Amino acid sequence: MKLLSFRGGVHPPHRKKSTESIKVERAKDPATLYIPLQQHIGAPCKAIVNVGDTVKVGQKIGEAQGFVSAPVHSSVSGKVKAIKECPVPGGKGLCVVIENDFANEIHESVVPKGNIDSLTGAEILEIIKEAGIVGMGGATFPMHVKLSPPKDKKIDTVILNGAECEPYLTADHRLMLEKPESVVYGLKAIMKVLNVDKGYIGIEDNKPDAIEAMVKAAEKESNIEVVGLRTKYPQGAEKQLIYACTNREVPSGGLPMEAGVVVNNVATAAQVYESITTGMPLVERITTITGSAITNPNNLLIKIGTTFEEIINQCGGFKEEPGKVIMGGPMMGLTQYTLEVPVTKGGSGILCLNREEATLPEPSNCIRCGKCVDICPAFLQPLFISAHSLKYNFDRAEDYRALDCIECGSCSFICPSKRPLLQSIRVAKREIIAQKRKQSK
């Protein structure tokens, strides 16, 4: 199999050995769950249950507010104890707090919806929307929005991202090994929604067993191609994946649809399969629990709303004092300030690093080596964007195309002076976007 790739990128240590061979187990259900009303990009949901209400598994508890939003559902049966601000990944947010009755009573709305041969594309899209499916690779963009491009944008290709290029994470790897047919089924459903004839599943070549499993699962699908990708970070980024699979480039400031492509994660596709064939909305997901500070690394199927603390305890707790706990991988993940945060729809990993690994080296002056320019997969000059950002000169940072940064962190990884490149570019992007919004009012 020919290996595809893109220009730029870095090669961080994989560090996947501790969990890549561990089969997915179902995590123990917690006594109390904290289900955020916003687990997606866009408008937060409005709670449609009240304190004291009894809820069932799969019951909608939060209604989407606007087109760019996604409903949330209860992952257990039990009683609503509170609707209040709680710690969530990224800060605090309104959560529906549910006391689990451990009866696992399924809500009446959870019934099989048919199959992709009998359903129309519009019907599949509605199932996806009502199931609250969002990008499960971490982006959490509402899937029904991504599958509703403007009429003047012709989509002819769907790509599933099975690269899982972030170090440590193995949730998608195990999914492709253990449920490859569900991934293929989900891809076919997505292709039907978009009326597309060509689908790709891109997988890095450090997962040869996953490539083999997916090739076998898709062997009867003449319009689906499993492609091997050269292992390199950030191979799973949308624009880099599109270039690798189709040799098309997304224009500066554009979206994948500008290149006629829609990209989804393999876990997202598998959830489409679940929601069509069982009727169950997105209420649980596979998460990798790993890192130097965790006692027993694992891949667990976790109910949305279960706290990090509960999951870490189920993995034997910490074997040494943690220096950092991250939701996601080390390159693009989000560091958490408390273990009281719940697992959400975008939570692909809980990474627990010890103090030694979590300690950042002191930055020194830029030596103008140009390594960050050489490896930038977005063809930017990170050193100049960063320098202007650190001087609060955000107009100049925009001149250097700060908004095209995909925040992969490759520049910070490669920098020999350990400059805070990614952090300062993020600040510049935030300030530029805020200024644009202010000007548009």
Side-chain angles (χ1 to χ4, degrees), residues 322-335:
K324 189 178 286 186
V325 175
I326 300 170
M327 185 184 82
M331 303 296 282
M332 296 187 72
L334 196 60
T335 301

Side-chain angles (χ1 to χ4, degrees), residues 311-355:
I311 295 301
I312 289 169
N313 287 338
Q314 288 187 31
C315 293
F318 296 120
K319 62 183 179 184
E320 59 182 294
E321 188 177 2
K324 189 178 286 186
V325 175
I326 300 170
M327 185 184 82
M331 303 296 282
M332 296 187 72
L334 196 60
T335 301
Q336 302 303 311
Y337 69 97
T338 172
L339 299 182
E340 295 175 4
V341 296
V343 173
T344 58
K345 296 176 181 179
S348 55
I350 299 175
L351 175 58
C352 308
L353 300 177
N354 62 27
R355 285 196 169 276

Side-chain angles (χ1 to χ4, degrees), residues 3 9 43 81 106 128 138 143 168 207 240 247 257 307 323 343 350 363 431:
L3 297 178
K81 285 180 60 181
I106 306 295
I128 290 170
M143 189 179 188
Y168 289 97
K207 300 180 251 309
Q240 286 62 42
N247 210 30
M257 69 174 71
T307 64
V343 173
I350 299 175
E431 292 295 330

